[in-house]
Amino acid sequence: MSDQLDNKAVLKQLNTILEHELAGVIRYTHYSFMVHGFGRIPIVSWLRGQADESMLHAHEAGELVTQLGGDPSQQVGDLQSAVTQDTRKILEQSLSHEEVAVSAYSEFQKLVQGKSIKLEEYDKPMVSDETRHIG
């Protein structure tokens, strides 16, 4: 690859992604506790699945930080939390969280495109996953 990778910027963005995904683990788990009513079971299951996926994404981002010689962040991203049992509001906040994730992964893509096949290949399915969640 011809252009030089800005390792410092890549590490910073990976840590931003790590923090966001860790926030997703907490956010989706909390949301699953807030859902009430007759339709609770499938919604809770979906939310907990999202929490599990966020944890997997956090692991992947953290591992890349380590592989690139950085220190994985111990911070957690924005935890705007639904202080509501309104499923519609919970899902709207979930949508907002996913939109931020797409933005974070898209910014990462700009940093690595044409500079690291490994990092490009990491990013592509992440953008796809997060975009699918928005859908």
Side-chain angles (χ1 to χ4, degrees), residues 77-98:
D78 179 27
L79 284 175
Q80 173 197 2
S81 181
V83 186
T84 181
Q85 295 172 346
D86 182 333
T87 302
R88 180 181 186 88
K89 288 181 183 175
I90 289 171
L91 293 175
E92 287 170 351
Q93 288 182 6
S94 297
L95 175 61
S96 175
H97 179 78
E98 297 298 334

Side-chain angles (χ1 to χ4, degrees), residues 33-56:
F33 302 142
M34 298 299 291
V35 176
H36 291 265
F38 294 112
R40 181 176 194 274
I41 292 172
I43 296 168
V44 167
S45 177
W46 181 81
L47 289 166
R48 291 187 181 160
Q50 294 303 300
D52 291 344
E53 186 172 298
S54 287
M55 181 58 84
L56 176 62

